[in-house]
Amino acid sequence: MKIILTKDVPKVGRRFEILEVSDGYARNFILKNKLGEIATSEVINKMDAQKKKNEEARKQREKEVILKLESVASLGLSINAKVNKEGHLFAGIKKDDIYKLVTEKGVEIKDEELIFDKPIKEVGDYDIVVKIGEKNTKFKLSVVALE
């Protein structure tokens, strides 16, 4: 039986994919759990239209976020933090702190798009990477000592 998946199914296929599966598997698992539909020409056309609409929305969102990030990058972001005599921070700056700072500036990104491995523990300038889809964008973050 030919089906088209409406959701990603592990070890089977991805959303909008047309597959040939056994009748029993289609009826008892895919259709029963509303993970797909029987692939008729109407359903295929409907899913193609939905797929194109989702792709256009994703591309538009990518463009908007990159434009906003570029404007924030030109402003330069900074965080004030308490430091000891050697210039080490008392509390490290974590991914959540940077995420809050970026969203406060009006840039709407997802938490997982912010690429950040380990907390910042010293004063200085850092490049922060944001990965949106296939594109990477960087912005400067300055950590300044509080006096």
Side-chain angles (χ1 to χ4, degrees):
M1 176 182 294
K2 270 194 171 184
I3 59 161
I4 186 165
L5 297 176
T6 55
K7 297 181 181 175
D8 290 348
V9 180
K11 299 182 182 178
V12 176
R14 300 195 51 86
R15 186 175 182 192
F16 302 122
E17 194 173 340
I18 299 173
L19 300 172
E20 185 74 37
V21 295
S22 68
D23 292 350
Y25 185 70
R27 279 193 306 270
N28 297 322
F29 182 71
I30 301 291
L31 299 175
K32 181 180 176 185
N33 294 318
K34 297 181 179 161
L35 300 173
E37 297 182 31
I38 297 173
T40 63
S41 60
E42 292 174 7
V43 172
I44 291 172
N45 290 338
K46 183 177 100 177
M47 290 293 178
D48 283 342
Q50 188 176 2
K51 185 177 180 179
K52 287 178 185 176
K53 183 178 175 184
N54 289 351
E55 185 65 24
E56 289 172 7
R58 185 188 63 76
K59 285 182 181 179
Q60 182 63 29
R61 182 185 170 280
E62 276 184 19
K63 288 178 185 177
E64 289 173 2
V65 171
I66 287 174
L67 287 174
K68 285 182 182 179
L69 277 174
E70 288 173 354
S71 67
V72 170
S74 66
L75 294 175
L77 299 176
S78 64
I79 293 180
N80 296 327
K82 292 182 181 180
V83 296
N84 62 15
K85 294 176 185 174
E86 290 84 34
H88 297 286
L89 303 180
F90 286 118
I93 298 171
K94 300 177 185 81
K95 182 178 183 177
D96 293 338
D97 300 326
I98 296 171
Y99 177 73
K100 287 177 187 174
L101 182 67
V102 170
T103 53
E104 286 173 3
K105 293 291 184 179
V107 179
E108 296 177 20
I109 60 171
K110 296 178 184 174
D111 186 32
E112 61 269 7
E113 292 173 339
L114 189 62
I115 308 300
F116 192 70
D117 295 336
K118 55 187 176 183
I120 296 172
K121 297 185 179 185
E122 294 182 1
V123 175
D125 292 335
Y126 297 91
D127 286 330
I128 307 298
V129 178
V130 177
K131 183 174 183 178
I132 303 166
E134 300 290 322
K135 299 178 183 178
N136 289 346
T137 303
K138 289 183 182 179
F139 66 91
K140 279 252 192 258
L141 176 71
S142 297
V143 179
V144 181
L146 272 177
E147 295 181 16

